[in-house]
Amino acid sequence: MMRTRPLKVALLGCGVVGSEVARIMTTQSKDLAARIGAPVELAGVAVRRAGRVREGIAPELITTDAAALVAREDIDVVVEVIGGIEPARTLITTAFEHGASVVTANKALLAEDGSTLHEAAEKHGVDLYYEAAVAAAIPLVRPLRESLAGDTVNRVLGIVNGTTNFILDRMDSTGAGYAEALDEATALGYAEADPTADVEGFDAAAKAAILAGIAFHTRVRLDDVHREGITEVTAADIASARRMGCTVKLLAICERAADGRSVTARVHPAMIPLTHPLASVREAYNAVFVEAEAAGRLMFYGPGAGGSPTASAVLGDLVAACRNKLSGSRGPGESAYAQLPVSPMGEVVTRYHISLDVADKPGVLAQCATVFAEHGVSIDTVRQQGKDGEASLVVVTHRAPDAALSATVEALRNLDTVRGVASIMRVEGE
Amino acid sequence: MMRTRPLKVALLGCGVVGSEVARIMTTQSKDLAARIGAPVELAGVAVRRAGRVREGIAPELITTDAAALVAREDIDVVVEVIGGIEPARTLITTAFEHGASVVTANKALLAEDGSTLHEAAEKHGVDLYYEAAVAAAIPLVRPLRESLAGDTVNRVLGIVNGTTNFILDRMDSTGAGYAEALDEATALGYAEADPTADVEGFDAAAKAAILAGIAFHTRVRLDDVHREGITEVTAADIASARRMGCTVKLLAICERAADGRSVTARVHPAMIPLTHPLASVREAYNAVFVEAEAAGRLMFYGPGAGGSPTASAVLGDLVAACRNKLSGSRGPGESAYAQLPVSPMGEVVTRYHISLDVADKPGVLAQCATVFAEHGVSIDTVRQQGKDGEASLVVVTHRAPDAALSATVEALRNLDTVRGVASIMRVEGE
């Protein structure tokens, strides 16, 4: 039986995502009501600049006073799609204090201060949902938080940033350099005017922090995530990867240590074999592998960004938050009981692909190999190539702690016979 | 804060899945308690034959009296992994009547009589969870039911039976015939001694019914699902598919009609292009595409069967059911408000690949083409091949209603110049 008094929703932000949320709430209102068990009504939309006509939204719903909107006692759920730390954090906190549940797509805020938000939601007996914060409509938060709640997740590995995947895919398929591929991404709307958050890996790192936190039942913040962007990736790196039967992807990798007592989270470009399913994730798509002890290896794939896919995730959470409001219950809150320490990058065990410019004379390979051995790093393959008195040495290592690998590189740099380190890249997915 | 009185779980069935559920409940008890907010305890295990030692399960928990176990008033959640219609249905219903929530992996029962079970759960204010019924640990039920609850799903298309995928994959990669590939699947434990449920498509059809029901908010029963198995697929079909740049997969396809007013659900072998992601799903893996209006195209991939993956799904649901018990709430129940009619196979719009043995004389192609035209079926490509007075004609059609396509094939059979219809297969995924 359906309740007739509608649930009231306040929408903060009416950009690409917000306007799509409002549109679907209007056009699909009957379906949403049937699925929730009560009608749901847009009670207010906070925007930065009033005056613009917003198609499908009654003008009297528009306000520039977000603080007043979230403090209204009649609001059941606040949807926050402004992004950024402030004023989002204050608005969400105010919403909780006034008894509203919150659905947010704000990865930056969650990675910065998710625990405080979870605690506030808990204190006020309301929900905090955020499926849209990671990979838009690809279900990841809910599967990790609920479907795998009885399993032990050991690894989350994936492509969680569409912009950088588009750029690397273009570099790989056309041979373009980074700058050229970025220009194309910008022209096509895949990269923002200031692409820093994407290309420097901040966006992916925030998502890695969120995923690691849920997967390992441990608080993981943005600062805990080792982060390297793609700005240093060259056409030569991509060509090297090709010669190894690999491609280069920006990966987010969250791992439980072999002994189970600590976890790591990192974002960096890496070579992965062309045979790995992530190698065929093209353009701005996202894909994430989750490895759990009982479930095995699961993959989730789809468009990881965009107004409609993000709105889909927001609306799924909105339905859940509304159902809980109706039944007087709460969804699962933060689960951080495991409190595992987050180890630094140096303790991550991985492989390196190192390309060195060396003097073309006898004994250089032996000298380099000694440096690897001294640092306890075992070599998998070496390829030596001479050209006009100079030579290049391409070394792929076996798995070793990242600290040992980077110390090896430092020592190589100090060899007289090593003219320079042309590139270093980790190798994953094998 | 954690409750100290444990939640009590009754386990029905202690085979491949049940023993793994029991094992994880024991070895991961601390984690489960932390995630649920209360300890969870195995209170009884119903088996068919007592006397066998079950590793890790206290002998006093074992009983052959399942009916008495589910009627115990102290049981909070019943996990049913016996399978089949009876006694599972009666046991689940009894559990509901005694206030227990139920977690089941029973696809056959859900596809046969899911609505009755949902109504009983609703009536007694308890939960019915069944993620494990479809594709084991691959989250599909929860994403469709919750993550996409604010979206409009138009299509679910996937490989949901590992046994048949293993057989077809073997036929494709080794050129083996059906019987030979089935023997290999049986020897390796991928096929049961009586493989009927898998190879005739019953298992996949049950899953299609469950997925269609959730995706379209409509009751869909096993009888509503058009079902064709793989027993008629020949090495020649696979070879034909290869020549077209395709492979053959047993697909489950649930679609909303273009006008949105009806739905269809079907399971049959089909040719799909090698470039389609489902073409690269090998061995016994499962993969499902979900297409929704706002979310776009999502894919879910993983092991679709096996004791551990199925146990993972069961335990995720067990955690949810226990959390709800603790908070006195319920998870989402059945959503069948849309009540869309399920159209028969004849109304499905698809494409056919038809291979005809014809007389090798002039005018045959024209004659056949006329038959297609008379039935309103447009031809995409024709390949004619002559050999020793006989010839073969391979026709691939454009999209047309299945009824028109099968009427065309019937009319072709009646032509004097058509010696026989060597094979008919639908073409999907384009």
Side-chain angles (χ1 to χ4, degrees):
Chain A
M1 203 162 60
M2 198 175 298
R3 194 179 85 158
T4 48
R5 186 172 70 75
L7 286 148
K8 293 193 177 175
V9 175
L11 179 59
L12 310 182
C14 199
V16 178
V17 177
S19 58
E20 186 65 5
V21 169
R23 188 189 68 74
I24 297 173
M25 282 186 67
T26 311
T27 57
Q28 305 294 319
S29 60
K30 279 188 193 162
D31 284 303
L32 291 172
R35 296 173 193 183
I36 291 167
V40 58
E41 173 188 296
L42 199 55
V45 181
V47 298
R48 220 176 328 174
R49 279 180 300 276
R52 231 176 77 202
V53 175
R54 320 244 168 195
E55 210 187 330
I57 302 177
E60 66 271 20
L61 294 183
I62 306 282
T63 174
T64 52
D65 191 351
L69 180 59
V70 296
R72 273 172 54 178
E73 300 296 333
D74 62 333
I75 300 294
D76 294 290
V77 182
V78 169
V79 171
E80 185 271 306
V81 286
I82 318 174
I85 307 300
E86 284 296 349
R89 172 163 39 197
T90 304
L91 293 170
I92 290 175
T93 310
T94 309
F96 288 152
E97 285 163 1
H98 289 82
S101 289
V102 171
V103 174
T104 176
N106 196 328
K107 66 209 72 141
L109 178 56
L110 285 160
E112 166 104 1
D113 208 11
S115 292
T116 311
L117 295 182
H118 275 110
E119 280 164 12
E122 173 91 31
K123 182 179 159 194
H124 296 283
V126 292
D127 280 326
L128 172 63
Y129 280 104
Y130 50 96
E131 182 68 75
V134 185
I138 307 173
L140 280 172
V141 171
R142 190 169 274 104
L144 282 171
R145 210 153 71 141
E146 303 182 42
S147 308
L148 293 166
D151 207 332
T152 304
V153 176
N154 287 325
R155 199 155 190 247
V156 178
L157 176 148
I159 295 166
V160 295
N161 179 274
T163 307
T164 49
N165 199 60
F166 181 89
I167 293 170
L168 292 171
D169 183 29
R170 272 300 183 277
M171 290 174 71
D172 186 75
S173 57
T174 68
Y178 168 74
E180 197 185 329
L182 172 60
D183 285 348
E184 192 186 348
T186 311
L188 292 170
Y190 287 114
E192 293 179 49
D194 176 359
T196 311
D198 292 317
V199 299
E200 295 292 359
F202 288 101
D203 174 87
K207 293 164 179 168
I210 295 169
L211 293 175
I214 308 171
F216 304 135
H217 300 269
T218 284
R219 286 183 182 169
V220 181
R221 292 165 47 104
L222 182 59
D223 292 348
D224 298 321
V225 182
H226 175 84
R227 177 190 53 76
E228 296 170 34
I230 65 160
T231 55
E232 312 278 303
V233 177
T234 63
D237 289 332
I238 307 261
S240 287
R242 275 277 158 189
R243 274 195 297 274
M244 282 180 63
C246 287
T247 187
V248 175
K249 295 288 186 189
L250 183 72
L251 299 181
I253 307 176
C254 312
E255 285 174 316
R256 188 187 295 274
D259 67 3
R261 296 206 189 132
S262 63
V263 298
T264 52
R266 52 190 164 121
V267 166
H268 56 71
M271 294 184 180
I272 54 166
L274 291 171
T275 51
H276 193 283
L278 289 180
S280 55
V281 175
R282 312 299 300 271
E283 305 204 320
Y285 279 83
N286 282 191
V288 176
F289 274 93
V290 175
E291 294 174 27
E293 267 173 30
R297 213 167 173 222
L298 307 171
M299 186 176 82
F300 303 80
Y301 169 90
S308 290
T310 309
S312 172
V314 164
L315 286 158
D317 281 350
L318 180 62
V319 168
C322 286
R323 279 174 177 164
N324 294 344
K325 275 276 168 192
L326 273 187
S327 67
S329 63
R330 290 185 64 219
E334 185 182 30
S335 175
Y337 71 91
Q339 297 186 30
L340 297 168
V342 185
S343 303
M345 187 62 196
E347 292 179 26
V348 165
V349 176
T350 181
R351 300 173 62 197
Y352 270 28
H353 174 279
I354 306 162
S355 180
L356 303 168
D357 293 328
V358 296
D360 190 10
K361 56 183 183 186
V364 173
L365 174 55
Q367 210 181 7
C368 289
T370 304
V371 170
F372 281 90
E374 283 168 356
H375 290 85
V377 175
S378 167
I379 292 175
D380 180 10
T381 60
V382 182
R383 201 174 66 240
Q384 205 169 187
Q385 231 168 354
K387 43 167 192 191
D388 314 329
E390 298 251 321
S392 75
L393 207 62
V394 175
V395 180
V396 181
T397 73
H398 281 297
R399 283 162 59 81
D402 201 80
L405 290 161
S406 56
T408 306
V409 173
E410 276 318 295
L412 289 168
R413 278 187 214 277
N414 292 331
L415 290 182
D416 287 345
T417 47
V418 172
R419 307 254 162 93
V421 178
S423 86
I424 314 161
M425 199 172 286
R426 297 185 186 88
V427 183
E428 303 285 342
E430 289 171 307
Chain B
M1 204 161 64
M2 198 176 295
R3 196 178 85 159
T4 49
R5 187 172 69 75
L7 287 148
K8 293 193 177 178
V9 175
L11 179 60
L12 309 182
C14 199
V16 178
V17 177
S19 58
E20 186 65 4
V21 169
R23 189 189 66 75
I24 297 174
M25 281 186 67
T26 310
T27 58
Q28 306 293 319
S29 61
K30 278 188 193 163
D31 284 303
L32 291 171
R35 296 173 193 183
I36 290 166
V40 58
E41 174 187 295
L42 199 55
V45 181
V47 298
R48 219 174 331 175
R49 278 181 301 275
R52 229 176 77 203
V53 175
R54 319 242 168 197
E55 210 187 329
I57 302 177
E60 65 271 21
L61 294 182
I62 306 284
T63 174
T64 52
D65 191 350
L69 180 58
V70 297
R72 271 171 56 177
E73 300 295 335
D74 63 332
I75 300 294
D76 295 289
V77 182
V78 169
V79 171
E80 184 270 306
V81 286
I82 317 175
I85 307 299
E86 283 295 348
R89 174 167 32 199
T90 304
L91 293 171
I92 290 175
T93 310
T94 309
F96 289 151
E97 286 163 359
H98 289 80
S101 289
V102 171
V103 174
T104 176
N106 195 328
K107 66 210 71 145
L109 178 56
L110 285 161
E112 165 105 0
D113 208 11
S115 292
T116 310
L117 294 183
H118 274 111
E119 280 164 10
E122 173 91 31
K123 182 178 160 198
H124 295 284
V126 293
D127 280 323
L128 173 64
Y129 279 103
Y130 51 97
E131 183 67 76
V134 185
I138 306 173
L140 280 172
V141 172
R142 190 169 274 105
L144 282 170
R145 210 153 72 141
E146 303 182 41
S147 306
L148 292 166
D151 207 333
T152 305
V153 176
N154 287 324
R155 197 154 191 248
V156 178
L157 176 148
I159 296 165
V160 295
N161 180 275
T163 306
T164 49
N165 199 59
F166 181 89
I167 293 170
L168 293 171
D169 183 31
R170 272 299 184 276
M171 290 174 72
D172 185 74
S173 57
T174 68
Y178 168 74
E180 197 185 328
L182 172 60
D183 285 347
E184 191 186 349
T186 311
L188 292 170
Y190 287 114
E192 292 179 50
D194 175 359
T196 311
D198 292 316
V199 300
E200 295 292 359
F202 289 100
D203 173 85
K207 292 165 180 169
I210 295 169
L211 291 176
I214 307 172
F216 305 135
H217 300 270
T218 283
R219 286 183 182 168
V220 180
R221 290 165 48 103
L222 183 58
D223 292 347
D224 298 320
V225 182
H226 175 84
R227 179 190 50 76
E228 297 171 32
I230 64 162
T231 54
E232 312 279 303
V233 177
T234 63
D237 290 331
I238 308 261
S240 288
R242 275 276 158 189
R243 274 195 296 277
M244 281 181 63
C246 287
T247 187
V248 175
K249 296 289 186 187
L250 182 71
L251 298 181
I253 307 176
C254 313
E255 286 174 316
R256 187 188 295 275
D259 67 4
R261 295 203 190 136
S262 63
V263 298
T264 53
R266 52 191 164 119
V267 166
H268 55 71
M271 294 184 181
I272 55 167
L274 291 172
T275 51
H276 193 283
L278 289 180
S280 54
V281 175
R282 313 299 300 273
E283 307 204 320
Y285 279 83
N286 283 192
V288 177
F289 274 93
V290 175
E291 294 174 27
E293 268 173 31
R297 213 168 174 222
L298 306 172
M299 186 174 83
F300 303 79
Y301 170 90
S308 290
T310 308
S312 172
V314 164
L315 285 158
D317 281 351
L318 179 63
V319 168
C322 286
R323 280 174 177 165
N324 294 343
K325 275 277 167 191
L326 271 188
S327 67
S329 62
R330 289 185 65 218
E334 184 182 31
S335 175
Y337 71 91
Q339 297 186 30
L340 297 169
V342 184
S343 304
M345 188 62 197
E347 293 179 25
V348 164
V349 176
T350 182
R351 301 174 60 199
Y352 269 28
H353 173 279
I354 306 161
S355 181
L356 304 169
D357 293 327
V358 296
D360 190 9
K361 55 184 183 185
V364 173
L365 174 55
Q367 210 181 9
C368 290
T370 303
V371 170
F372 280 91
E374 282 168 356
H375 290 83
V377 175
S378 167
I379 291 175
D380 180 9
T381 58
V382 182
R383 199 176 65 240
Q384 204 170 187
Q385 230 168 352
K387 41 166 195 197
D388 313 330
E390 298 251 322
S392 75
L393 206 62
V394 176
V395 180
V396 181
T397 72
H398 282 297
R399 283 163 59 82
D402 202 80
L405 289 162
S406 55
T408 306
V409 173
E410 276 319 296
L412 288 169
R413 279 188 212 276
N414 292 332
L415 290 183
D416 286 345
T417 47
V418 172
R419 308 253 162 93
V421 179
S423 86
I424 315 162
M425 198 172 287
R426 297 185 185 88
V427 183
E428 303 284 342
E430 290 172 310

